[in-house]
Amino acid sequence: MALLTMLLLSLTVNSAFSARIAAFCTIGKSQYMNLRGILEELASRGHEVTMVIPSTEKVQLSDRVQHKIFKIPYEPGFMENELLKLELEGDKFRLLSKMMEVLSTVCESVLNDTKIMEELRGYDLLVYDVLGVCGALIGDRLGVQRVQMLVTPNNPFDHMIPTPLSYIPMMVLPGFTDKMTFLQRVTNVVAYIGLGLFKDLLFARPMDALKLKYNITTERSYQETVDGVELVLIRADFAIEYAQPLLPGNVMVGPLNVKEGKPLPPDLEEFVNDSGGHGFIIVSFGSNLASILPRTVVDTLATAFGKLKQRVVWRLKGYIPSFLGSNIKIVEWLPQNDLLAHKNIKAFVSHVGHDSLYESAYHGVPLVAFPQFADQHFNAKKAENLGNIMVGPLSVREGKPLPPDLEEFVDNPGGDGFIIVSFGSNLASILPRTVVDMLATAFGKLKQRVVWRLKGYIPSFLGSNIKVVEWLPQNDLLAHKNIKAFVSHVGHNSLYESAYHGVPLAFIGLANIRSLQKLSPMYTTTLVTRCKNVILSVNPGSTIKGM
């Protein structure tokens, strides 16, 4: 009898210290997984937990975490098929407009679900992430205390987080770091003001309209409601983030996805161990991009990966190239954290999402970054600033043998070597005649041989040391032992290929023509200057002297 009394007493005490906690997720697989991880930990400590998600989320239900699903007027996969395609197409304005439309629709859908709203009444706490913009309205409507999860402290418009603009760059300026010039700081201030106005127009006003429609604390604005959260938890660490002050209610809890590795599935363990001592790399661009990468990009990557000595574990869905190398294993899902913890891992080819950035840093795995959207470009810059990343084009590789006629031309230059001239595929046929004549005159006076990519107008007075071609194997020529210099417009690929092979650049500033390629002359010049391998920099109207 005494034992039964003690058991009942312990159960009573345990229930007295437990709480009812709900999490609200809008869109995003990684967002869902992080919130679910929090709830599972809380459930293991005796709390009653519930996850509220839209009908588009594909999830595995759990006994420990109850799921409440509300219907939204979108089909599963709409994020990949509608939102991310706009990003990949570069249509950012339509993307942001569509995103706000989606978030407002999701918010209205859950507010109209009277069953879920009634079931959540009486909960002790509501947790939501940065995309769960409706979490603030749900919490206010039900009178539930709120905790918001952020992925970075760089969130200057919510929760009054101090953001010194002199050394905290806005995320829309991924080329900036915490060490900014005066002009960059001015640009950062302008970006801050613009983003504030944009956020008010695109996000705050529609949310204010919903507050008014559903009579949710109409005496204060949506922004005041957001700022009224009880606690802000930040899934980041100042080991990677730029240092900035925080308020008492802003707590850095570190990345929730990072942990020690577990043993791999037997088939995967066998594949990564059977590499002849060369190790393996993993390739993953996240759950959203795995099935919508353009075929041309997939083919380029497959060709490059097939030439590696390392084994490659590649997360890919949808289109699978038919010519995959025997060293490549395609999977629809991979245990990323466990693979990064493996002793044979050599590198991680990634889009540099928040979780991938922190997992690679924790396990000390070098990153090869191909950022695509959202915060990924900003993340890549942070990692590059730390020195554990390579951001580069797909074209960089070791050189291959040249075609026989080209090899004969460059391999017999009388000891003076050769240079190559290329202004990219777009400019090869549209250079003004005056510019072509000026360059031809200068190149004809050189001791070096010249391989020049040129189409359309060809001067009649070309020197005997010049070979004009419509196309050239640029990477292979840059890898040649006799190369002396590269005359270039300094496009992205050209910049990185010349840096990789250690070839001096002669930068011809074709700013007015290069605008056709949508390249910023100022940005390109900055990159070249930082590489410190420029031997010449001229404008098309200036005189070029022989090298």
Side-chain angles (χ1 to χ4, degrees):
M1 185 63 180
L3 180 61
L4 180 59
T5 303
M6 290 294 296
L7 179 60
L8 290 174
L9 182 59
S10 67
L11 290 175
T12 303
V13 171
N14 183 61
S15 64
F17 284 97
S18 67
R20 303 180 71 198
I21 303 170
F24 176 69
C25 180
T26 306
I27 55 176
K29 187 70 173 179
S30 60
Q31 287 81 3
Y32 167 80
M33 293 304 297
N34 277 289
L35 286 172
R36 177 167 171 163
I38 294 171
L39 293 188
E40 287 180 344
E41 178 63 28
L42 290 169
S44 70
R45 302 187 183 197
H47 299 287
E48 179 186 343
V49 297
T50 300
M51 175 74 83
V52 182
I53 59 172
S55 55
T56 51
E57 287 294 322
K58 298 177 181 179
V59 300
Q60 290 184 340
L61 300 182
S62 165
D63 293 334
R64 299 173 69 181
V65 180
Q66 180 185 3
H67 283 70
K68 296 184 184 296
I69 302 173
F70 61 95
K71 181 70 176 175
I72 63 173
Y74 300 105
E75 296 298 322
F78 84 97
M79 184 172 180
E80 297 90 333
N81 297 328
E82 296 185 34
L83 298 181
L84 292 186
K85 282 190 175 181
L86 291 175
E87 173 69 36
L88 293 178
E89 292 168 2
D91 197 342
K92 295 187 182 298
F93 182 78
R94 281 187 59 204
L95 170 68
L96 291 170
S97 299
K98 186 68 176 178
M99 176 66 80
M100 191 57 237
E101 175 191 320
V102 168
L103 293 177
S104 295
T105 301
V106 170
C107 196
E108 276 214 79
S109 297
V110 70
L111 290 173
N112 283 328
D113 194 317
T114 54
K115 181 181 178 182
I116 288 180
M117 287 294 101
E118 191 59 36
E119 289 173 346
L120 291 179
R121 197 176 298 278
Y123 270 65
D124 300 298
L125 191 66
L126 177 65
V127 184
Y128 54 96
D129 69 357
V130 68
L131 287 178
V133 294
C134 196
L137 301 191
I138 296 173
D140 256 19
R141 189 182 194 186
L142 301 177
V144 178
Q145 291 186 315
R146 297 175 282 120
V147 172
Q148 185 169 10
M149 304 292 301
L150 300 181
V151 295
T152 172
N154 189 347
N155 192 55
F157 303 108
D158 294 335
H159 315 301
M160 296 179 287
I161 297 177
T163 307
L165 298 178
S166 59
Y167 58 89
I168 301 297
M170 296 294 97
M171 282 194 181
V172 294
L173 303 172
F176 290 16
T177 68
D178 56 342
K179 296 176 177 61
M180 291 182 273
T181 65
F182 174 74
L183 287 179
Q184 286 177 326
R185 291 180 181 186
V186 171
T187 304
N188 201 40
V189 171
V190 173
Y192 172 81
I193 295 171
L195 284 173
L197 294 173
F198 184 80
K199 181 178 183 292
D200 178 68
L201 179 65
L202 204 63
F203 286 89
R205 293 187 185 183
M207 290 296 107
D208 278 325
L210 286 179
K211 281 171 62 69
L212 187 61
K213 179 178 179 179
Y214 291 93
N215 195 31
I216 302 172
T217 56
T218 55
E219 67 276 6
R220 57 178 179 171
S221 67
Y222 171 71
Q223 188 60 55
E224 290 172 323
T225 298
V226 169
D227 292 339
V229 68
E230 275 67 35
L231 184 64
V232 177
L233 300 179
I234 304 170
R235 298 191 293 109
D237 192 281
F238 282 129
I240 290 179
E241 304 298 326
Y242 301 128
Q244 70 179 91
L246 296 176
L247 298 177
N250 315 142
V251 183
M252 296 275 274
V253 296
L256 303 180
N257 56 302
V258 170
K259 51 187 177 296
E260 294 299 319
K262 296 182 294 185
L264 299 176
D267 62 326
L268 208 52
E269 181 68 40
E270 180 182 358
F271 180 78
V272 300
N273 277 329
D274 190 21
S275 61
H278 297 296
F280 71 96
I281 69 172
I282 61 174
V283 184
S284 176
F285 300 113
S287 56
N288 296 320
L289 285 177
S291 60
I292 64 170
L293 284 173
R295 289 195 172 201
T296 53
V297 172
V298 174
D299 287 342
T300 303
L301 290 171
T303 302
F305 295 150
K307 297 175 181 178
L308 298 178
K309 297 177 182 179
Q310 291 77 20
R311 290 286 175 100
V312 179
V313 182
W314 188 358
R315 181 180 184 178
L316 187 64
K317 292 187 289 186
Y319 168 65
I320 309 295
S322 58
F323 55 87
L324 287 175
S326 58
N327 66 322
I328 300 175
K329 182 180 182 67
I330 299 293
V331 293
E332 290 195 358
W333 176 84
L334 49 77
Q336 182 170 295
N337 186 80
D338 304 328
L339 284 165
L340 288 170
H342 198 278
K343 64 182 185 343
N344 293 335
I345 184 75
K346 300 299 182 184
F348 180 20
V349 181
S350 170
H351 63 318
V352 203
H354 181 269
D355 290 351
S356 297
L357 171 63
Y358 273 87
E359 286 177 355
S360 63
Y362 178 79
H363 295 293
V365 178
L367 270 171
V368 180
F370 294 102
Q372 300 295 322
F373 62 93
D375 61 347
Q376 294 164 13
H377 295 278
F378 195 77
N379 290 341
K381 188 62 181 180
K382 284 191 293 189
E384 184 182 9
N385 194 44
L386 291 170
N388 68 326
I389 192 170
M390 182 185 79
V391 184
L394 303 177
S395 59
V396 173
R397 53 175 169 74
E398 296 299 321
K400 296 185 297 183
L402 300 176
D405 62 327
L406 204 53
E407 179 65 40
E408 181 180 357
F409 182 78
V410 302
D411 203 31
N412 187 28
D416 294 313
F418 73 95
I419 69 172
I420 60 174
V421 183
S422 176
F423 302 113
S425 56
N426 294 325
L427 294 178
S429 60
I430 64 171
L431 286 173
R433 290 195 174 201
T434 53
V435 173
V436 174
D437 287 343
M438 178 187 64
L439 292 172
T441 301
F443 296 150
K445 298 176 181 179
L446 299 178
K447 296 178 181 179
Q448 292 81 16
R449 294 208 170 174
V450 180
V451 182
W452 188 358
R453 181 180 185 178
L454 187 64
K455 293 187 289 184
Y457 168 66
I458 308 295
S460 58
F461 55 89
L462 286 176
S464 59
N465 66 323
I466 301 175
K467 181 181 182 68
V468 172
V469 294
E470 289 196 357
W471 175 86
L472 51 77
Q474 180 171 295
N475 186 80
D476 303 327
L477 283 166
L478 288 170
H480 198 279
K481 66 182 188 305
N482 292 338
I483 185 75
K484 298 299 182 184
F486 180 20
V487 181
S488 171
H489 65 317
V490 199
H492 184 262
N493 288 356
S494 299
L495 171 64
Y496 277 91
E497 287 175 359
S498 62
Y500 178 79
H501 295 293
V503 178
L505 272 170
F507 170 40
I508 307 296
L510 301 168
N512 56 331
I513 302 172
R514 199 165 357 101
S515 62
L516 295 172
Q517 297 177 290
K518 298 182 180 178
L519 293 176
S520 164
M522 181 181 297
Y523 177 64
T524 305
T525 305
T526 302
L527 287 175
V528 174
T529 304
R530 287 180 59 195
C531 283
K532 301 185 185 304
N533 64 331
V534 181
I535 59 173
L536 180 68
S537 179
V538 300
N539 291 318
S542 62
T543 303
I544 303 178
K545 299 178 181 180
M547 287 184 262

